[in-house]
Amino acid sequence: MQKRLFTILWCCALILLILFFPDTALSSASSAISSWLNIVLPSLLPFCIATSLLEECGAVAIFARRLQPLTTKVFGFSGVFSYAFLASCLSGYPMGAKITSESYANGQLTQVEATEIINCTSTSGPMFLVGAVCIGMLGDSSMSKYLLLPHYLSALILAISAGRRFRKKRLHTGSHPPGHISPPPSVSFGVALSRSVAKGLDSMLAVGGFMVIYAVFAQCLLALFKCLPIIGANQTTRQLLSLGLGALEMTTGCIHSDSLPLFWRLLYLNAIISFGGFCIHSQTAAICAKNGVPIRHLFLHKAMQGALAALLCLGLMYALPIEPSLRPSHAAPSGSYLPMATFLGLCALLCCFFCIRRRRKRN
């Protein structure tokens, strides 16, 4: 009942915001559609169709069997995890959730393991990180190392931590993960390709719809805040609100991060991209709901990944300092700010870690 009431209130708020700020709604929807059409669709659709075709041909079961010994030993998960994680790293959100939920529907994963793997295979793709963020927003492809390494390394660290209980359980019971299954019945290439294209287009339309609806809500909400006298007159407050809206829609936060110096901007970008935003969380939940996979602890897991990615980026900038040839406004802050950034990041990471442990003990 509470979820239904929240959904109704959210929909009413969205409709009112669109009615009060039609110009903002139109421009933000156009921008979201342009991003989906020029960035997301070309990068995701071919890979989505290819992975669905592999699924139809039974190749996922073969990958799972081949990768299972290494994956089980290192991560504790079934071999499906390696395939889903690699696909997510190459293609981006929400490819890992799509592959994992379909593997669960085919009987390759238990519900508990599928839920955990979905949390661990939720990553952005290099096309967005390098093309859209580094080249398009930062204007420097050399910044890619400060985004790629922390993003994927944080996901791997949390995957090893999350799979520990499965590894211990299998060592204790001597059981094997449910990856040893026969491939699905063979079908003709035409039928398999037709199904794969239909699945890919359906997934991409859902992703585009979520991008548009969250972008419109975030920008209209920002326009509403700017109309308030207390907020509208304070530029710093407006900037903080713009950055905070990245928690709703990741791309919106990335775009508005241009108000930050480069040092803080890289930390923010790592945190918000690894967190994903509620738009990515909703996409993941919608894809998993089709195959009956429940979403548990995704918010906390992604929040923890965001904090860890920011800390790893901080360490990387210590090890590989940013070139001093950059503009003064983009220089790193004074040393007094660095301990504060480290302390806040560690506090956020520890809070997320203890929240996840507490919820797992309850379950």
Side-chain angles (χ1 to χ4, degrees), residues 132-145:
V133 179
C134 291
I135 298 177
M137 300 179 191
L138 296 175
D140 188 356
S141 60
S142 65
M143 294 292 114
S144 58
K145 59 179 176 289

Side-chain angles (χ1 to χ4, degrees), residues 24-334:
T24 303
L26 180 61
S27 61
S28 57
S30 299
S31 178
I33 292 174
S34 177
S35 299
W36 174 77
L37 189 62
N38 296 318
I39 299 175
V40 177
L41 192 64
S43 62
L44 276 183
L45 183 58
F47 202 89
C48 190
I49 294 174
T51 53
S52 296
L53 189 59
L54 288 175
E55 182 76 27
E56 292 285 340
C57 297
V60 175
I62 298 174
F63 277 112
R65 287 198 296 269
R66 297 293 184 184
L67 297 173
Q68 190 156 280
L70 177 62
T71 306
T72 305
K73 184 177 181 180
V74 177
F75 297 98
F77 292 120
S78 164
V80 175
F81 167 79
S82 294
Y83 178 70
F85 185 81
L86 289 174
S88 180
C89 290
L90 290 174
S91 188
Y93 299 117
M95 185 58 63
K98 179 179 180 297
I99 293 174
T100 305
S101 62
E102 290 177 353
S103 299
Y104 166 74
N106 294 331
Q108 294 173 284
L109 297 169
T110 64
Q111 188 180 87
V112 176
E113 189 173 8
T115 301
E116 203 66 53
I117 290 178
I118 286 169
N119 295 341
C120 298
T121 56
S122 180
T123 63
S124 184
M127 183 169 288
F128 176 79
L129 290 171
V130 179
V133 179
C134 291
I135 298 177
M137 300 179 191
L138 296 175
D140 188 356
S141 60
S142 65
M143 294 292 114
S144 58
K145 59 179 176 289
Y146 297 112
L147 294 179
L148 291 172
L149 291 177
H151 182 67
Y152 295 123
L153 187 58
S154 62
L156 283 173
I157 292 173
L158 291 179
I160 294 174
S161 176
R164 185 176 58 181
R165 60 170 175 161
F166 297 101
R167 182 167 55 249
K168 287 183 177 180
K169 183 178 179 180
R170 282 162 184 156
L171 289 174
H172 179 71
T173 61
S175 61
H176 296 280
H180 303 287
I181 64 171
S182 58
S186 59
V187 295
S188 65
F189 177 78
V191 173
L193 183 60
S194 176
R195 291 177 182 174
S196 301
V197 170
K199 288 181 182 178
L201 289 174
D202 182 60
S203 298
M204 290 304 99
L205 286 174
V207 170
F210 279 110
M211 287 181 62
V212 170
I213 204 71
Y214 273 94
V216 170
F217 183 75
Q219 293 295 338
C220 289
L221 194 62
L222 181 61
L224 175 64
F225 286 141
K226 288 181 178 179
C227 293
L228 300 177
I230 299 177
I231 298 176
N234 193 320
Q235 184 179 0
T236 303
T237 306
R238 292 201 306 269
Q239 290 176 352
L240 291 175
L241 285 172
S242 300
L243 296 173
L245 289 177
L248 287 177
E249 209 280 316
M250 176 183 66
T251 309
T252 301
C254 293
I255 293 172
H256 287 290
S257 66
D258 59 354
S259 60
L260 297 172
L262 182 59
F263 179 89
W264 295 104
R265 190 179 186 185
L266 287 172
L267 294 180
Y268 173 81
L269 288 172
N270 271 282
I272 203 65
I273 292 173
S274 295
F275 175 66
F278 290 105
C279 180
I280 298 297
H281 298 183
S282 299
Q283 293 176 26
T284 302
I287 288 175
C288 295
K290 294 180 180 179
N291 295 310
V293 183
I295 298 297
R296 296 192 184 99
H297 315 317
L298 178 63
F299 175 85
L300 287 174
H301 186 99
K302 295 299 291 177
M304 192 171 178
Q305 185 182 346
L308 181 57
L311 284 175
L312 290 173
C313 178
L314 183 65
L316 187 61
M317 285 191 287
Y318 272 121
L320 301 173
I322 300 174
E323 296 180 6
S325 58
L326 296 172
R327 289 178 295 175
S329 61
H330 281 177
S334 61

